[in-house]
């Protein structure tokens, strides 16, 4: 009996790590930096990659007034900045959280206002860069932002609130109070949309708040630190199958692992110096953690046994990578060919535009 064997294609994507001197692009197959993209301004911060993998969107947060009204757009095939979305005269300290709708048509990003004014969530057409809506938030200090899998709701971590936006009407639908002493940072939604996870880094909190999207109430508060006065966690990510939640404990230089099925703490595992943003690869087998140190690095964890697979020097300082920073065209590392990672997101012309 003749048996024919053929090559099995192995696909990888890139990780876009924002840091002080630009964006380090890491090949997640080889775990090496393949290029560094220079940014026009200091302080590139939050990242989201479009669902089809063709574009990465970058925000800035540098307190200088330069770039605070800009979102840069990267062509992930060439790893070059092809345009900037300019959303008007800067009255912001910066833009922190960013996310994109599941169909890739709309960007949502949170602008942090100066002088204690109320923040604004901008809704932007991802294809044209035009502003579709400006949503005034109840408070100040909007941080993480996450869109539900069906694209109907947008959750914003703002001070001690989760602000729920109706993505159809672009209005605030409700606010969920996490308690007077809470201060939320990273936020994520479960793959089935039933739960929202928010990182509460306030002193004496140090927890992940779990909220039911059916009742809009807290169903669990999971201590992930044990350090009473430390201010952590920061970033947060959910595995593709929804079974695990990961949070970056910046002060203790560890990543917390949570069982998302029964909402219990599993363990903390070592990362680099001051872990910040974190994201999982396509199949959830690897967790990439950006370490906000003077000597920048990314720690790669095997999610099966939570062991460190690699520590990747980024060639810069202060990696942040706050958001869904892994994506881009699927690269067949066997043949070197490319294919899109989805078909829903719009094709964006390589031009400069103002919102």
């Amino acid at each position: 009996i003749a048996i024919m064997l053929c090559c099995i294609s192995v696909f990888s994507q890139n990780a876009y790590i924002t840091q002080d001197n630009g964006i380090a692009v890491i090949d997640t197959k080889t775990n090496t930096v393949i290029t560094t993209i220079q940014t026009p301004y200091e302080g590139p911060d939050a990242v989201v990659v479009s669902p089809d993998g063709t574009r990465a969107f970058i925000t800035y947060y540098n307190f200088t007034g330069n770039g605070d009204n800009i979102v840069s757009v990267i062509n992930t095939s060439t790893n070059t900045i092809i345009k900037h979305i300019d959303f008007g005269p800067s009255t912001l300290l910066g833009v922190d959280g960013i996310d994109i709708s599941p169909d890739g048509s709309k960007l949502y990003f949170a602008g942090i206002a100066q002088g204690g004014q109320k923040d604004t969530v901008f809704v932007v057409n991802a294809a044209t860069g035009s502003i579709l809506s400006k949503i005034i938030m109840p408070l100040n200090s909007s941080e993480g932002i996450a869109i539900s899998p069906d694209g109907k709701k947008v959750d914003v971590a703002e001070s001690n609130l989760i602000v729920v936006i109706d993505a159809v009407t672009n209005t605030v639908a409700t606010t969920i109070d996490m308690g007077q002493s809470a201060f939320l940072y990273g936020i994520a939604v479960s793959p089935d949309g039933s739960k929202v996870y928010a990182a509460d880094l306030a002193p004496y909190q140090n927890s992940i708040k779990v909220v039911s999207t059916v009742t809009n109430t807290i169903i669990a508060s999971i201590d992930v630190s044990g350090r009473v006065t430390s201010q952590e966690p920061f970033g947060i990510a959910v595995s593709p199958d929804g079974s695990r939640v990961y949070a970056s404990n910046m002060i203790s230089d560890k990543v917390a692992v949570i069982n998302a099925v029964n909402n219990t703490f599993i363990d903390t595992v070592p990362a680099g110096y001051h872990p910040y943003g974190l994201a999982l690869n396509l199949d959830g087998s690897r967790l990439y953690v950006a370490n906000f140190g003077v000597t920048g690095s990314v720690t790669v964890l095997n999610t099966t046994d939570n062991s460190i697979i690699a520590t990747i020097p980024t060639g810069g300082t202060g990696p942040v990578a706050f958001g869904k920073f892994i994506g881009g065209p699927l690269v067949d590392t066997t043949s070197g060919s490319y294919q899109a990672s989805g078909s829903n997101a719009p094709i964006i012309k390589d031009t400069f535009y103002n919102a």
Side-chain angles (χ1 to χ4, degrees), residues 138-215:
L139 301 172
N140 189 267
S141 299
S142 298
E143 303 293 348
I145 188 166
I147 301 174
S148 63
D150 62 7
K152 295 180 179 180
K153 293 181 180 179
V154 181
D155 296 295
V156 183
E158 186 182 53
S159 188
N160 65 319
L161 301 177
I162 293 178
V163 180
V164 183
I165 295 171
D166 184 323
V168 177
T169 63
N170 288 327
T171 57
V172 174
T174 190
T175 58
I176 307 169
D177 193 339
M178 297 292 103
Q180 188 65 35
S181 60
F183 189 88
L184 308 182
Y185 206 82
I187 194 167
V189 185
S190 63
D192 65 0
S194 66
K195 291 184 282 189
V196 173
Y197 302 94
D200 184 357
L201 57 76
Y204 300 95
Q205 298 297 316
N206 307 316
S207 61
I208 298 298
K209 298 293 195 292
V210 187
V211 173
S212 165
T213 60
V214 176
T215 62

Side-chain angles (χ1 to χ4, degrees), residues 242-311:
S243 66
R244 294 288 184 269
V245 174
Y246 301 90
S248 56
N249 285 356
M250 178 181 274
I251 306 304
S252 58
D253 302 333
K254 294 181 179 181
V255 171
V257 185
I258 291 168
N259 184 328
V261 177
N262 56 18
N263 295 324
T264 56
F265 172 78
I266 296 176
D267 201 359
T268 56
V269 296
Y273 183 70
H274 284 6
Y276 205 116
L278 67 177
L280 291 129
N281 66 350
L282 275 172
D283 63 6
S285 64
R286 302 290 185 266
L287 179 71
Y288 287 75
V289 185
N291 300 307
F292 187 76
V294 175
T295 303
S297 68
V298 171
T299 301
V300 186
L301 297 175
N302 182 332
T303 58
T304 300
D305 59 8
N306 295 325
S307 62
I308 296 177
I309 294 174
T311 299

Side-chain angles (χ1 to χ4, degrees), residues 14-15 32 46-47 56 74 82-83 99 119 130 184 208 330 335 346 354:
N14 292 333
T32 56
V47 187
I74 294 170
I82 56 173
K83 60 178 142 283
D99 204 356
D119 295 342
S130 60
L184 308 182
I208 298 298
L330 294 172
S335 67
N354 293 326

Side-chain angles (χ1 to χ4, degrees), residues 202-206 223-232 249 251-253:
Y204 300 95
Q205 298 297 316
N206 307 316
D223 184 352
V224 296
S225 172
R227 295 163 61 99
V228 175
T229 60
S230 66
Q231 292 181 284
E232 53 188 15
N249 285 356
I251 306 304
S252 58
D253 302 333

